[in-house]
Amino acid sequence: MDYATSDPGLVPGPPGPRAPLDASADNGLKIVITGGFGVGKTTMVRSVSEIRPLNTEETMTQAGAAVDDLAGVGTKSSTTVAFDFGRISVNARTVLYLFGAPGQERFWFLWDRLFSGTLGAVVLVDTRRLDDSWYAIDRLEHHGTPFVVARNDFGGPKHSEEQVRDALSLADGVPLVDCDARSRQSSKDVLITLVQHLQTLSAAHPRAREMTAP
Amino acid sequence: MTPRPGREEDPDRLYTLTSGRSRPVSDAFDLVTLVVAECDPVPGMQSEHAAILRICRRPTAVVELAADLGLPVGITQVLLCDLLDTGRISARHPRTVRTAAQLPDPEILEQVLVGLRNL
Ligand SMILES: Nc1nc2c(ncn2[C@@H]2O[C@H](COP(=O)(O)OP(=O)(O)O)[C@@H](O)[C@H]2O)c(=O)[nH]1
Ligand SMILES: [Mg+2]
């Protein structure tokens, strides 16, 4: 699973032990990067993270409930999903965590438990394997999580933006950008596109809290 | 490649570690809740509790703790509940709650944008 770390083409993570957060840090934010296997999720996390990406896992029962004891672990009734993550300190109080999360079906059982409150998501797409992304897009729509689609260039056939939008049945408002997850600048641009998209949505739909205020 | 610590952990030991509890999953800790130690580890403390208190001398996200301890997120949350119940840690919860009906605070978005541009 960690094979990418030995890839010489990857941006190396920051060396040495990781710096602790500022003592005043008090607000953690989440952005999820999802997509099919090998599409560049870990690479993108590494490209922008201030720490070397870490990974962890969560265990859930077949029924979809996460377990907080390991009584069922190792039996057929539980599945483990691993994900990696990095972070970006936004300022002295706010820290953004980026999660590289697999888009396959079993992962979505854990979405509410792990990723409720996520600001938004990036769906990485390899145009040679578009169907890997369908499921992720479908689930994000279902969960009402705003997202942008970032298309990696793995040397496959060139499609027009229209063709990709059609193939993914992307709604008009959903941004679609090209990216190279190995590049810090390009990955940064994708995240900026996501946040700008959130700002657009936010401006179009005043927050429920404000609308219901007396 | 060295295996990640904890990966080969004996499930029985992990089970013991959480005293066999199977209470409903607590909502007390988000993945990005920042945990801060309110005291130093004391001798005789369960080693995982002591490790958490050491790591959390500076604010540390739940998910970073899980990675450091080599434990699944759910187990880490149970350990944190123990420490919270006894006042040994405090928890700084994420302030931006986003539901389908509620987009993130524009001010937070602006901060994130500035932070990203400064990367
Ligand atoms: N050409 C190209 N290769 C990439 C890009 N992003 C990742 N890769 C390569 O694709 C492989 C898989 O990437 P990885 O991040 O491990 O994928 P993950 O399974 O989604 O986490 C690695 O060898 C990367 O170097 C990209 O944007 N363009
Ligand atoms: Mg990966």
Side-chain angles (χ1 to χ4, degrees), chain A residues 18 21 23 25-27 30 57-58 68-70 87 97 113 118 144 188 196 199 207 209, chain B residues 7 14 21-23 25 30 58 64 68 73-74 77 92 95 98 102-103 110 116-117 119:
Chain A
R18 66 182 196 274
L21 292 178
D26 67 354
N27 193 22
K30 292 180 268 198
E57 61 195 30
E58 182 57 308
D68 57 6
D69 70 73
L70 291 187
R87 70 157 127 96
Y97 284 85
R113 172 163 164 76
T118 290
K188 193 175 131 174
Q196 287 173 331
Q199 288 182 318
R207 287 183 298 154
R209 196 186 308 154
Chain B
R7 220 6 113 73
L14 293 180
R21 275 155 304 173
S22 55
R23 66 167 120 173
V25 168
D30 192 272
R58 292 287 284 272
E64 284 192 62
D68 283 347
V73 172
Q77 286 166 326
R92 301 175 182 176
R95 266 182 278 125
R98 204 203 62 75
Q102 192 179 315
L103 285 152
E110 195 55 43
L116 288 173
R117 290 199 166 116
L119 262 190

Side-chain angles (χ1 to χ4, degrees), chain B residues 17-103:
Chain B
L17 217 155
T18 58
S19 315
R21 275 155 304 173
S22 55
R23 66 167 120 173
V25 168
S26 164
D27 287 335
F29 295 93
D30 192 272
L31 275 190
V32 297
T33 293
L34 301 174
V35 177
V36 184
E38 294 295 336
C39 65
D40 285 323
V42 292
M45 202 175 237
Q46 190 180 328
S47 68
E48 285 75 14
H49 284 160
I52 291 172
L53 293 180
R54 268 193 305 277
I55 297 166
C56 295
R57 284 185 178 130
R58 292 287 284 272
T60 306
V62 170
V63 71
E64 284 192 62
L65 275 172
D68 283 347
L69 297 171
L71 293 173
V73 172
I75 300 286
T76 305
Q77 286 166 326
V78 171
L79 292 168
L80 288 170
C81 282
D82 295 342
L83 291 167
L84 189 69
D85 287 349
T86 51
R88 291 192 164 100
I89 57 165
S90 57
R92 301 175 182 176
H93 298 294
R95 266 182 278 125
T96 304
V97 183
R98 204 203 62 75
T99 64
Q102 192 179 315
L103 285 152

Side-chain angles (χ1 to χ4, degrees), chain A residues 117-180:
Chain A
T118 290
L119 291 180
V122 172
V123 180
L124 282 176
V125 169
D126 173 352
T127 46
R128 295 166 305 172
R129 299 181 295 145
L130 277 180
D131 47 336
D132 278 4
S133 326
W134 288 336
Y135 196 74
I137 288 173
D138 191 62
R139 295 329 292 163
L140 289 169
E141 285 172 347
H142 171 83
H143 285 277
T145 302
F147 62 95
V148 299
V149 176
R151 168 167 62 158
N152 274 355
D153 184 0
F154 282 98
K158 299 277 177 277
H159 303 281
S160 71
E161 175 169 340
E162 264 331 289
Q163 287 172 315
V164 178
R165 281 190 170 281
D166 271 359
L168 294 175
S169 311
L170 280 192
D172 282 347
V174 177
L176 168 65
V177 294
D178 288 305
C179 84
D180 185 331

Side-chain angles (χ1 to χ4, degrees), chain A residues 1 41-42 84:
Chain A
M1 183 183 71
K41 300 179 296 293
T42 303
D84 42 34

Side-chain angles (χ1 to χ4, degrees), chain A residues 13-86:
Chain A
R18 66 182 196 274
L21 292 178
D22 203 289
S24 55
D26 67 354
N27 193 22
L29 304 172
K30 292 180 268 198
I31 285 180
V32 177
I33 297 163
T34 187
F37 179 75
V39 79
K41 300 179 296 293
T42 303
T43 305
M44 181 170 275
V45 170
R46 185 184 287 110
S47 290
V48 290
S49 176
E50 68 194 23
I51 58 171
R52 199 172 59 81
L54 297 168
N55 70 84
T56 188
E57 61 195 30
E58 182 57 308
T59 302
M60 61 181 179
T61 63
Q62 221 50 258
V67 294
D68 57 6
D69 70 73
L70 291 187
V73 171
T75 73
K76 262 205 194 125
S77 66
S78 72
T79 315
T80 294
V81 172
F83 54 95
D84 42 34
F85 64 95

